[in-house]
Amino acid sequence: MTQVFQGRSFLAEKDFTRQEFEYLIDFAAHLKDLKKRGVPHHYLEGKNIALLFEKTSTRTRAAFTTAAIDLGAHPEYLGANDIQLGKKESTEDTAKVLGRMFDGIEFRGFSQDMVEELAEFSGVPVWNGLTDAWHPTQMLADYLTVKENFGKLEGLTLVYCGDGRNNVANSLLVAGTLMGVNVHIFSPKELFPAEDIVKLAEGYAKESGAHVLVTDNADKAVKGADVLYTDVWVSMGEEDKFKERVEMLKPYQVNMELIKKAENEDLIFLHCLPAFHDTNTVYGKDVAEKFGVEEMEVTDEVFRSKYARHFDQAENRMHTIKAVMAATLGNLFIPKV
Ligand code: CP
Ligand code: NVA
């Protein structure tokens, strides 16, 4: 038997098997239980963790920080403007230096190539805290939240509404179909997921018995949904696109009318957050003034409704990130799954 996770990086969903994801989700649930009962779980005693952030973050940064401390490790935040990366030093050289000092590295940024390069040259596990292409630690928290609510994943239907080709949509589509979840992408044709990602998901779905649906038809997309999921219409790095996205994505907003179309009173609403559900943010206010739209991807009514589980989901970022760090860096015996 081998310890399947030890020393591995967590970069993109395609690198893992169904059993491995299921293991990480169940392990996170176990770590959550330990935390709630106040049972120490210092699997990373004495380790140093680098947290590299090119883009801003609340949840991912807070989750990596608190998870590392709960595991007995020391996290160190290295923001884009604090270090030499990019401007004065290449990714390869940065990776080699950090790998001499840190036992694991989290990276959030733009390019998937950069996180892959850090993993290639650092010699230590690298965890993807979001790139333009994927958001894999988010996906684990999302499916843990789904499992907590329904007791299972296989056979459920998750409908992702909005920008169907962003990092969060990609991760949910690929990992969901791998684990037997029917994934529907409800978005305008211009924002359908890339063909290679749909093909990958269709291949996984064939094996797991799930199905994939990519459509701009609300009735077809949403009927029978167990989970309605949305994310911002404009991702980090695309802030010049508010005008076109607001116009294009208004019909894809999650509101009570859309929820009714699901005809499932047990459905849950998820959002990776941050969310534009009112005008209490700089961008929210700006969009309301310029385009007359006060709620973007989700209405305030849905956000505060009985269906909403996004704050549980946010908490689960910490438990799932803890599972990933402990499994890949800890001295745990995890049999081949
Ligand atoms: N969901 C998520 O990744 O949130 P942050 O951008 O705040 O980290
Ligand atoms: N798609 C969003 C996710 C934020 C957590 C973004 O990349 O900005």
Side-chain angles (χ1 to χ4, degrees):
M1 294 226 263
T2 47
Q3 300 189 41
V4 283
F5 293 105
Q6 207 157 47
R8 282 171 72 184
S9 288
F10 193 73
L11 304 176
E13 281 77 2
K14 61 176 173 33
D15 304 332
F16 288 82
T17 65
R18 172 179 185 160
Q19 288 75 16
E20 287 169 347
F21 281 144
E22 287 172 349
Y23 183 90
L24 289 171
I25 289 169
D26 291 344
F27 184 36
H30 167 68
L31 293 170
K32 182 171 182 174
D33 177 56
L34 293 185
K35 169 102 175 160
K36 301 277 173 201
R37 290 191 289 119
V39 180
H41 37 284
H42 291 175
Y43 296 126
L44 298 187
E45 194 77 61
K47 307 275 190 199
N48 291 313
I49 310 287
L51 306 179
L52 258 65
F53 281 84
E54 278 191 326
K55 291 177 177 171
T56 52
S57 166
T58 297
R59 276 142 293 271
T60 309
R61 177 176 175 180
F64 268 99
T65 303
T66 50
I69 292 168
D70 280 357
L71 289 168
H74 174 85
E76 186 64 28
Y77 178 78
L78 305 169
N81 296 324
D82 309 328
I83 60 171
Q84 317 286 19
L85 175 63
K87 293 178 278 295
K88 284 178 71 181
E89 198 160 32
S90 68
T91 308
E92 178 178 341
D93 294 355
T94 304
K96 286 175 177 168
V97 171
L98 294 179
R100 298 286 183 110
M101 300 181 195
F102 290 95
D103 302 289
I105 300 169
E106 179 276 353
F107 173 80
R108 163 173 287 202
F110 295 88
S111 138
Q112 182 68 20
D113 286 347
M114 191 181 266
V115 77
E116 309 259 351
E117 210 178 335
L118 283 171
E120 184 182 348
F121 292 108
S122 65
V124 298
V126 172
W127 308 296
N128 180 353
L130 177 149
T131 61
D132 289 345
W134 304 104
H135 197 0
T137 62
Q138 178 70 53
M139 170 286 294
L140 280 184
D142 300 344
Y143 285 119
L144 170 61
T145 312
V146 174
K147 195 166 179 189
E148 285 175 338
N149 278 275
F150 295 96
K152 62 170 189 178
L153 293 177
E154 185 156 348
L156 296 174
T157 299
L158 179 145
V159 183
Y160 176 94
C161 311
D163 178 4
R165 34 100 274 167
N166 79 10
N167 39 21
V168 172
N170 289 344
S171 285
L172 288 169
L173 175 56
V174 167
T177 49
L178 186 67
M179 292 188 282
V181 178
N182 305 312
V183 182
H184 297 182
I185 303 288
F186 171 47
S187 71
K189 287 192 176 64
E190 295 89 331
L191 296 174
F192 276 178
E195 238 169 72
D196 57 329
I197 289 176
V198 176
K199 281 220 169 73
L200 184 64
E202 282 171 346
Y204 287 152
K206 211 168 162 193
E207 288 229 333
S208 69
H211 70 253
V212 176
L213 176 68
V214 179
T215 180
D216 58 3
N217 181 305
D219 295 301
K220 283 190 192 150
V222 167
K223 186 142 193 269
D226 298 293
V227 183
L228 280 191
Y229 195 119
T230 192
D231 182 12
V232 289
W233 289 344
V234 172
S235 285
M236 287 181 277
E238 302 180 319
E239 284 79 4
D240 58 332
K241 290 193 166 39
F242 272 106
K243 186 175 189 300
E244 65 178 74
R245 292 287 169 78
V246 167
E247 280 165 14
M248 194 189 284
L249 286 168
K250 195 78 215 297
Y252 301 83
Q253 181 191 61
V254 180
N255 49 39
M256 281 301 175
E257 199 188 325
L258 195 73
I259 286 196
K260 282 201 191 88
K261 283 185 195 289
E263 295 175 12
N264 178 6
E265 262 312 293
D266 296 326
L267 80 70
I268 62 169
F269 167 74
L270 295 181
H271 191 311
C272 55
L273 304 180
F276 291 117
H277 58 97
D278 57 23
T279 53
N280 295 332
T281 59
V282 171
Y283 286 127
K285 197 162 173 273
D286 196 46
V287 165
E289 279 167 12
K290 285 190 178 135
F291 316 118
V293 172
E294 295 197 343
E295 300 160 310
M296 285 190 257
E297 71 274 8
V298 58
T299 59
D300 200 52
E301 186 183 13
V302 170
F303 194 80
R304 297 177 190 279
S305 72
K306 64 176 184 180
Y307 305 106
R309 298 289 186 278
H310 39 262
F311 293 118
D312 295 337
Q313 187 187 357
E315 178 192 325
N316 284 339
R317 298 295 309 286
M318 178 181 64
H319 305 299
T320 42
I321 282 169
K322 198 183 278 182
V324 171
M325 289 198 290
T328 54
L329 196 55
N331 210 3
L332 300 169
F333 183 75
I334 299 171
K336 187 155 173 42
V337 288

